[in-house]
Amino acid sequence: MGKIGFVERMPIKRQLILTFIWIMVFSVACTVITLVFGVGWIVSNKWIRPANSYENKIPSLVAYVKSQGDAILDPISRPELEKRIPGDGIQYQAVDLSGKPLYGTMQERKFPTKQAMIENLNTTKSAGTTKSFGGMFIRSVPVMSAAGDLKGAMLFRYKLEATTAASGSNWINLAIVLYFVVSPFLYVALFTSLFAARFGKRIARPVHNLIEASKRIRDQDLDFTISYKADNELGKLTESFENMRSALKDALLREWKLEQERRDMMDAIAHDFRTPMTVIQGNVELLADTPDMPRSQAEGHLKVIEDNIRKVNRLIQDVQIASEKDLEYFPLRGAHVSLRQFVQDKEREIGFMCSSRRVRFSIEYEDLVPNAEEAVFMDVQRISQVLDNLIANSFRYLPAEEGWLGVRIVRIASALQFEICDNGPGFNDKDIPHVFKKFYRGDKGQTGLGLYSAKAIVEKHGGSIRALNRQEGGACVAFTILTDAPPSNDEEH
């Protein structure tokens, strides 16, 4: 995307106001320039006569009449007189001493009597209005003989209004005047079109980018960015769209990674299935092929089959865990439960599992909160799942002889502390930082889902979990959960 201009960064409302101002300024300026140049051009070409143009011709006509004397009253003088009179703006009439018309372009009699004529000599009087905004005037000029006797008069009626230079050019003048009248509207339309197109281009630029981005997202292409930066509504919309694209890309990458991890996990579990199933199949075939095998020897093979069936069951549990969408988004169903009853139930269950495996077992419970309420808040099923996973993990690595498992539960102010220890080989030092990671496989081939799910459940309870080795030998896993309040709102997704 190209560089974003200063105006384009403005809010859309401000851009609209600025566009309107530009349209008005340019329209007014062009209108003024048009009027100035138009009027100057018309005046310089004498297309319009000033209002007193005919009035200015009257003195020369008066002088001509006086120079002709009473000969001007003879119709023979008419052609020469009309050469000096513009017929489109001045009319005339020659009258005798009684006021009777002798000839001229005015037909009606203006002076009914001699006395009326004499009274109006050397005067200019109004003769009404014109079709335009001007007026009509009549100038009476006395006609004298060579001896100085009054013989009659010459009447000149003229217009006092702006007129065109010639009647044939009226349509041109009309067109020019019409253009002057509509030019402001033409300029407004022109500049509205220009500036609106520019404004639309500024708006269309990010909109087209968003449309193109939505098409790419539809085609599952998220490897792009929208770099439109502006402090306006479109800039905020683009930024929001870019954040959505980035979040969607991250979510898809996480989903792809999780799916890849599940695929790897299922491959690993499928591989782990082969060994116990092969062992079980081999021992079953051996027992079937040897019906008279001594009981003591047969019991040894059955014990091997039983141990490998347990391994298969553990792998089936791992498959169930791996099939979940994401262990981080499981719901908690917390409730207030009797802590003492919970400890007794777990002691009975763990004791039964240890006795069936000929494992020594010890459980300790210590309450450091005197006079505390009997009930605590937790998800019993999930905490039991954590304990079962950790105990099953310990059983896997206990020695065949003299195996030992210890569980310690301590109640403090607003939490419960659990510690599960055994006398097995313990954790490899390099595995301890990674044992709670999803799908981690250590050197001993464990899938890691049991410990990962334990960590997720503990953290849902607001607690923490850690792995360590005992100084006497063996492994320990300790975790703490909070019990004084319900889990936060994000416990369900």
Side-chain angles (χ1 to χ4, degrees), residues 61-73:
L61 293 175
V62 171
Y64 177 75
V65 169
K66 290 181 178 181
S67 68
Q68 295 298 312
D70 57 356
I72 197 70
L73 299 176

Side-chain angles (χ1 to χ4, degrees), residues 245-428:
R245 181 207 62 80
S246 178
L248 182 59
K249 181 179 180 181
D250 293 341
L252 290 177
L253 288 176
R254 287 195 301 270
E255 188 69 22
W256 177 84
K257 183 179 179 181
L258 180 62
E259 186 62 28
Q260 185 62 36
E261 289 175 344
R262 283 200 192 97
R263 191 178 295 110
D264 295 341
M265 177 62 187
M266 296 303 293
D267 291 343
I269 293 175
H271 180 271
D272 291 344
F273 261 115
R274 294 191 185 97
T275 299
M277 293 302 295
T278 300
V279 173
I280 292 172
Q281 182 179 3
N283 281 273
V284 169
E285 291 176 353
L286 181 61
L287 291 174
D289 294 339
T290 314
D292 54 351
M293 180 182 295
R295 182 175 180 80
S296 59
Q297 186 178 357
E299 288 180 351
H301 290 288
L302 291 175
K303 182 63 171 61
V304 172
I305 292 174
E306 182 182 7
D307 291 341
N308 282 273
I309 289 175
R310 291 195 184 98
K311 293 180 181 179
V312 170
N313 288 333
R314 181 186 60 80
L315 292 173
I316 291 174
Q317 292 176 354
D318 288 345
V319 170
Q320 292 173 341
I321 294 175
S323 66
E324 294 182 6
K325 179 181 179 182
D326 196 330
L327 293 174
E328 297 176 358
Y329 297 102
F330 61 85
L332 288 183
R333 296 178 176 85
H336 287 89
V337 298
S338 171
L339 180 59
R340 191 169 299 277
Q341 185 64 45
F342 170 75
V343 173
Q344 292 175 357
D345 292 342
K346 295 310 297 181
E347 181 178 9
R348 183 168 54 254
E349 294 176 9
I350 298 172
F352 175 77
M353 289 187 292
C354 289
S355 62
S356 64
R357 292 171 172 77
R358 298 182 177 84
V359 173
R360 291 185 297 109
F361 166 65
S362 66
I363 184 169
E364 299 178 16
Y365 170 66
E366 184 177 2
D367 192 342
L368 301 180
V369 185
N371 302 321
E373 295 183 2
E374 175 66 19
V376 295
F377 190 91
M378 63 178 177
D379 188 331
V380 175
Q381 182 179 354
R382 292 296 185 180
I383 297 302
S384 296
Q385 181 181 347
V386 173
L387 292 173
D388 292 343
N389 284 341
L390 298 179
I391 292 171
N393 195 63
S394 294
F395 282 155
R396 185 178 182 184
Y397 299 105
L398 287 176
E401 301 291 338
E402 299 297 326
W404 171 81
L405 177 71
V407 178
R408 187 169 185 268
I409 304 174
V410 180
R411 181 179 184 179
I412 57 178
S414 59
L416 285 178
Q417 294 179 344
F418 297 83
E419 189 176 86
I420 297 88
C421 298
D422 59 55
N423 63 344
F427 296 105
N428 289 335

Side-chain angles (χ1 to χ4, degrees), residues 72-73 81 85 90-96 99-111 138-141 143 152-157:
I72 197 70
L73 299 176
L81 176 62
I85 298 176
I90 299 178
Q91 295 176 314
Y92 72 97
Q93 187 181 75
V95 298
D96 59 12
K100 179 183 177 182
L102 299 175
Y103 67 91
T105 56
M106 290 189 298
Q107 302 299 323
E108 71 276 12
R109 182 169 180 165
K110 298 297 181 183
F111 305 127
I138 294 179
R139 174 71 181 272
S140 298
V141 181
V143 176
M154 288 295 298
L155 306 180
F156 296 102
R157 184 170 62 186

